[in-house]
């Protein structure tokens, strides 16, 4: 027996500073990636990368799962290291404490985490919670880096809009200086990509379409009406067109890269806001339907007369079947025919007016209606939905410049309205009167509480406004496709794109990373940078086997005492799980796992020395300084 200097059981090898820094180091990639995602919240992926993601969703999904799993594993390993691994190793090396094998199995399962069905059933809940928490970060990461389809608005590309310079009047003015119709100036151009055509003359080429426009000017459900674009019927206007957006469907957006998927776009266009105000004249207006000639039961009449403040007089022929009056062989009574006609004119003060004469079925509702028409230069916003092929035109502020300072475009629009009446006589019934009557019936259906005279005025206003909008749009399409008189407008395009995750998820991911890093730093400060952490790691199987072997036969004897029968290596053996073990290491002996209290010597001498039987005899420790006196699986220590 000899004396040796007192030594602490923890005087042996301790964990290196690098291994203690492992939780912080493994948190660097998740933290940096979370910071990058948060900084790029407003960034979107468009162009070729958008095409690649869209066409390779399976590969992108696989890459997302790999990255999310890796980031989640790094976070989980850092959290589990400071919550379970480090405290378990410190507790196992405590000079006066020990750990049951079942508890050691639980802490080992919590450190991975993994489900160990051989643990006591009252431990399963803790493992389930740890597994859920361990997989939570990966799920959050998967959401944070998932490419989400979205749209990105940016000013890119341009659109052609019509212009009406004085130099090109000869190409689109079919009325000339005499203000009479001249069809030789009209041009029709077939559109290869559509089943329709473009013309610079609303009349006669769009006569039937304009009459149908008047017929369907009001939607029965009060909502803005949807109507096809005349030169490309696959495009639909939602609400009034105001004559704007004529380039849509016949001239695609320019300067858009091929790999950009344009979803919708908008641009500004200066045009005319046409408004119509109608009222019933208590006294008959100075317009009459006068008899001209007769051929059997066919009567030819003429709309004649003038309107107040207008010099031009009407001289429009109207043909109708009519009944002969008693004692006469001719049909000369307008009241015996079904007729509907109007006269439209412009005076020297740039005022525009329309007067209606009607007989028979249409007389009660429409006869002696006079309407004033106003054209206000306005800036319109044309919004185009490329996918659904919808066009929405919104009137903004009054324009400071006139699209056509000469006034010729407005005058031609009014003349086109007048010639629509001249060119649309019909027998038995009036196609014009039938269209306006149909719209009146729709108006009374949409507004059942409105008196019929008021409904007739409202329906007439809507029909004329719809006709004028389409006439302006026809002139615009002709300028673009036939006369090539255009100006360029920049478009605000909305492109298909991908966004990496949502900003809220990025924020949550960053907060989680900061919380974990803060917890690691606080725990490092509280435990004085884990100063008593041994090198031995319970998760390393070779170290565990080696440390147990250096413990000699002590553990085997303990097992034989606890289990009289032959040990069958049953992992569910509860008696075996009750055995308490601890880690002992010093300057002489290797680190070893031994049963609790096994080999601890009693101090049988005075002074500072300990008697030992030999160089392998274990030590009785000094009161352990710095070891935790209270320990929990969550690593809560009190010095």
């Amino acid at each position: 027996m000899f004396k040796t200097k007192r030594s602490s059981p923890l005087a042996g090898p301790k964990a290196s500073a690098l291994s203690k820094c492992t939780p912080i180091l493994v948190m660097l990639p998740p933290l940096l990636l979370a910071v990058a995602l948060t900084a790029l919240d407003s960034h979107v992926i468009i162009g070729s990368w958008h095409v690649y993601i869209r066409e390779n969703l399976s590969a992108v999904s696989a890459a997302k799962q790999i990255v999310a799993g890796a980031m989640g594993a790094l976070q989980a390993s850092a959290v589990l290291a400071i919550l379970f691994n480090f405290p378990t190793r410190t507790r196992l090396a405590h000079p006066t404490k020990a750990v049951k094998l079942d508890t050691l199995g639980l802490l080992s399962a919590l450190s991975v985490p993994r489900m160990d069905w051989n643990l006591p059933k009252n431990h399963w809940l803790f493992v389930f919670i740890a597994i859920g928490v361990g997989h939570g970060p990966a799920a959050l990461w998967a959401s944070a880096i998932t490419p989400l389809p979205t749209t990105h608005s940016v000013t890119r590309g341009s659109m052609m809009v019509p212009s009406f310079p004085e130099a090109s009047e000869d190409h689109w003015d079919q009325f000339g200086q005499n203000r009479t119709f001249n069809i030789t100036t009209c041009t029709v151009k077939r559109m290869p990509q559509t089943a329709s055509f473009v013309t610079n003359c609303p009349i006669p080429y769009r006569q039937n379409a304009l009459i149908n426009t008047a017929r369907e000017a009001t939607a029965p459900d009060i909502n803005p009406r949807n109507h096809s674009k005349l030169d490309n019927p696959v495009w639909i206007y939602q609400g009034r067109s105001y004559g704007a957006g004529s380039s849509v469907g016949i001239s695609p957006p320019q300067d858009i890269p091929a790999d950009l998927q344009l979803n919708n776009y908008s641009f500004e266009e200066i045009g005319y806001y046409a408004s119509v105000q109608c009222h019933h004249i208590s006294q008959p207006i100075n317009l009459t339907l006068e008899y001209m000639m007769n051929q059997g039961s066919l009567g030819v009449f003429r709309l004649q007369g003038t309107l107040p403040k207008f010099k031009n007089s009407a001289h429009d022929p109207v043909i109708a079947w009519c009944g002969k009056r008693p004692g006469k062989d001719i049909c000369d009574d307008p009241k015996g025919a079904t007729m509907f006609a109007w006269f439209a004119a412009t005076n020297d003060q740039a005022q525009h007016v329309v007067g209606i004469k009607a007989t028979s079925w249409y007389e009660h509702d429409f006869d002696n209606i006079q309407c004033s028409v106003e054209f206000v230069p306005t800036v319109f916003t044309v919004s185009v939905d490329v996918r659904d092929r919808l066009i929405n035109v919104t009137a903004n502020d009054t324009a400071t410049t006139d699209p056509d300072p000469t006034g010729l475009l407005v005058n031609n629009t009014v003349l086109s309205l007048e010639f629509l009446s001249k060119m649309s006589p019909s027998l038995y019934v009036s196609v014009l009167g039938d269209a306006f009557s149909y719209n009146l019936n729709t108006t009374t259906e949409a507004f059942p509480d409105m008196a019929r005279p008021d409904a007739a005025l409202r329906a007439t206003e809507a029909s004329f406004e719809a006709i004028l909008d389409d006439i302006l749009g026809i002139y615009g399409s002709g300028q673009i496709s036939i006369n090539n008189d255009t100006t360029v407008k920049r478009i605000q395009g909305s492109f298909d794109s991908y966004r990496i995750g949502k900003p809220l998820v990025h924020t949550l991911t960053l907060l989680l990373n900061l919380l974990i890093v803060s917890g690691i730093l606080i725990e490092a400060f509280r435990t004085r940078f884990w100063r008593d952490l041994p090198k031995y790691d319970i998760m390393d199987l070779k170290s565990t086997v080696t440390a147990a072997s250096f413990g000699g036969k002590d553990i085997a004897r303990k097992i034989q005492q606890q289990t009289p029968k032959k040990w069958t290596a049953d992992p569910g053996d509860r008696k075996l799980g009750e055995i308490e073990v601890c880690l002992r290491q010093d300057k002489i002996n290797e680190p070893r796992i031994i049963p609790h209290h096994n080999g601890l010597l009693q101090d049988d001498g005075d002074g500072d020395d300990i008697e030992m039987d030999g160089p392998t005899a274990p030590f009785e420790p000094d009161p352990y300084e710095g070891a935790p006196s209270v320990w929990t699986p969550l690593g809560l220590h009190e010095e």
Side-chain angles (χ1 to χ4, degrees):
M1 183 177 292
F2 60 90
K3 300 284 186 179
T4 183
K5 193 69 177 175
R6 184 185 298 269
S7 176
S8 169
L10 291 180
K14 295 184 180 180
S16 65
L18 180 61
S19 64
K20 295 178 183 180
C21 290
T22 301
I24 298 178
L25 295 177
V26 299
M27 279 301 300
L28 288 179
L31 180 61
L32 294 177
L33 182 56
V35 171
L37 290 174
T38 305
L40 297 176
D41 272 343
S42 59
H43 181 73
V44 295
I45 300 173
I46 60 175
S48 57
W49 278 107
H50 170 267
V51 175
Y52 178 83
I53 294 175
R54 185 186 62 197
E55 296 179 353
N56 299 274
L57 290 178
S58 298
V60 172
S61 178
K64 178 195 72 174
Q65 295 297 334
I66 292 173
V67 174
M71 295 298 104
L74 291 176
Q75 285 181 313
S77 64
V79 173
L80 296 174
I82 64 170
L83 290 184
F84 301 113
N85 186 276
F86 284 9
T88 301
R89 292 160 62 183
T90 304
R91 168 64 181 260
L92 195 61
H94 194 281
T96 61
K97 303 293 183 180
V99 183
K100 291 182 179 181
L101 291 181
D102 271 345
T103 304
L104 199 60
L106 170 63
L107 296 174
S108 176
L110 294 176
S111 298
V112 176
R114 57 180 174 80
M115 188 60 213
D116 185 354
W117 299 105
N118 297 309
L119 292 172
K121 292 182 175 58
N122 59 347
H123 290 172
W124 288 1
L125 178 60
F126 297 104
V127 180
F128 282 140
I129 294 175
I131 292 175
V133 173
H135 288 80
L140 186 62
W141 275 109
S143 177
I145 62 176
T146 297
L148 302 175
T150 184
T151 56
H152 177 59
S153 296
V154 62
T155 301
R156 179 174 294 185
S158 59
M159 199 71 182
M160 299 295 182
V161 298
S163 65
F164 298 89
E166 188 174 355
S168 67
E169 289 179 0
D170 294 340
H171 297 287
W172 56 273
D173 180 16
Q174 75 270 35
F175 297 105
Q177 294 182 352
N178 297 327
R179 317 315 294 152
T180 58
F181 184 76
N182 181 10
I183 197 171
T184 60
T185 62
C186 294
T187 303
V188 176
K189 181 180 180 181
R190 290 286 175 180
M191 303 301 294
Q193 67 273 26
T194 69
S196 189
F197 61 90
V198 173
T199 180
N200 58 351
C201 293
I203 302 297
Y205 296 111
R206 294 296 187 188
Q207 176 184 354
N208 292 334
L210 293 174
I211 294 175
N212 190 61
T213 292
R215 180 185 183 89
E216 299 177 353
T218 303
D221 55 0
I222 311 179
N223 293 322
R225 73 184 184 105
N226 293 340
H227 53 107
S228 298
K229 194 171 185 288
L230 297 185
D231 49 51
N232 193 341
V234 299
W235 288 90
I236 304 297
Y237 278 105
Q238 292 184 306
R240 289 187 60 180
S241 70
Y242 302 101
S246 56
S247 57
V248 179
I250 62 174
S251 177
Q254 307 294 319
D255 304 322
I256 302 293
D259 57 359
L260 292 185
Q261 183 65 43
L262 184 61
N263 190 28
N264 52 69
Y265 62 93
S266 63
F267 59 93
E268 289 189 346
E269 180 178 347
I270 298 178
Y272 290 107
Y273 189 118
S275 60
V276 180
Q277 297 292 326
C278 298
H279 56 279
H280 286 282
I281 303 298
S282 57
Q283 298 295 327
I285 59 178
N286 190 25
L287 289 177
T288 59
L289 288 167
E290 296 184 359
Y291 169 75
M292 291 181 59
M293 60 179 293
N294 178 261
Q295 180 64 43
S297 296
L298 177 64
V300 179
F301 299 85
R302 172 178 288 175
L303 178 63
Q304 293 192 146
T306 60
L307 294 172
K309 300 181 181 180
F310 287 82
K311 298 178 181 180
N312 297 341
S313 61
H315 47 82
D316 305 340
V318 181
I319 304 174
W321 289 106
C322 63
K324 298 178 182 179
R325 288 190 293 176
K328 289 193 174 184
D329 294 332
I330 60 174
C331 174
D332 61 354
D333 184 9
K335 294 185 178 297
T338 303
M339 293 181 288
F340 186 103
W342 63 69
F343 170 62
T346 301
N347 63 13
D348 296 336
Q349 288 76 41
Q351 295 175 323
H352 317 283
V353 70
V354 181
I356 297 178
K357 285 298 294 182
T359 64
S360 188
W361 300 342
Y362 317 113
E363 181 176 5
H364 178 72
D365 292 324
F366 298 104
D367 192 37
N368 291 329
I369 287 182
Q370 181 173 316
C371 304
S372 60
V373 183
E374 186 177 8
F375 295 88
V376 179
T378 304
V379 178
F380 297 99
T381 298
V382 181
S383 302
V384 182
D385 187 332
V386 177
R387 289 181 175 175
D388 295 331
R389 298 189 175 183
L390 300 176
I391 309 171
N392 187 278
V393 182
T394 305
N396 299 323
D397 299 330
T398 301
T400 56
T401 58
D402 196 310
D404 175 28
T406 65
L408 186 60
L409 177 60
V410 170
N411 291 342
N412 279 13
T413 301
V414 176
L415 280 173
S416 296
L417 180 64
E418 180 185 0
F419 273 85
L420 179 62
S421 176
K422 289 182 178 182
M423 294 182 180
S424 304
S426 55
L427 304 178
Y428 299 106
V429 295
S430 168
V431 293
L432 295 178
D434 183 62
F436 276 65
S437 293
Y438 185 92
N439 189 43
L440 170 57
N441 293 333
T442 304
T443 303
T444 56
E445 179 182 344
F447 304 94
D449 297 333
M450 184 179 294
R452 189 168 181 87
D454 295 334
L457 294 177
R458 183 163 188 165
T460 303
E461 292 169 354
S463 292
F464 279 138
E465 287 176 348
I467 293 173
L468 294 172
D469 287 349
D470 278 355
I471 292 174
L472 290 170
I474 293 169
Y475 280 124
S477 298
Q479 286 298 94
I480 295 172
S481 298
I482 297 175
N483 301 327
N484 295 319
D485 283 324
T486 60
T487 57
V488 177
K489 292 290 185 179
R490 298 290 291 172
I491 65 174
Q492 181 74 19
S494 179
F495 299 91
D496 281 347
S497 59
Y498 282 104
R499 181 186 301 277
I500 303 300
K502 293 184 177 180
L504 176 60
V505 180
H506 293 167
T507 302
L508 293 177
T509 305
L510 179 60
L511 291 177
L512 177 61
N513 279 274
L514 293 176
L515 180 63
I516 294 174
V517 172
S518 300
I520 294 174
L521 295 177
I522 292 173
E523 185 69 5
F525 176 79
R526 192 184 66 83
T527 60
R528 296 180 177 87
F529 196 51
W530 299 287
R531 65 176 183 177
D532 297 316
L533 182 69
K535 277 188 176 182
Y536 169 73
D537 189 350
I538 61 171
M539 301 306 299
D540 183 21
L541 183 60
K542 64 179 185 297
S543 298
T544 300
V545 172
T546 303
S549 67
F550 277 115
K553 296 183 178 180
D554 295 331
I555 295 179
R557 293 194 191 99
K558 190 70 174 179
I559 294 174
Q560 291 173 353
Q561 294 173 4
Q562 295 283 98
T563 310
K565 297 181 180 180
K566 181 180 179 180
W567 180 55
T568 59
D570 180 11
D573 188 348
R574 296 279 72 83
K575 289 185 178 180
L576 182 63
E578 292 297 321
I579 296 177
E580 295 182 343
V581 297
C582 56
L583 179 69
R584 292 295 174 260
Q585 53 185 349
D586 52 47
K587 293 182 179 180
I588 299 177
N589 295 314
E590 296 84 355
R592 58 200 183 280
I593 296 177
I594 59 175
H596 186 41
H597 297 312
N598 182 65
L600 292 180
L601 298 180
Q602 300 297 325
D603 193 356
D604 58 355
D606 297 332
D608 295 333
D609 295 331
I610 295 178
E611 293 184 356
M612 299 185 65
D613 293 330
T616 60
F619 299 96
E620 179 185 7
D622 282 330
Y624 179 61
E625 296 180 0
S629 58
V630 178
W631 180 92
T632 69
L634 295 180
L636 300 178
H637 300 259
E638 292 183 3
E639 298 295 339

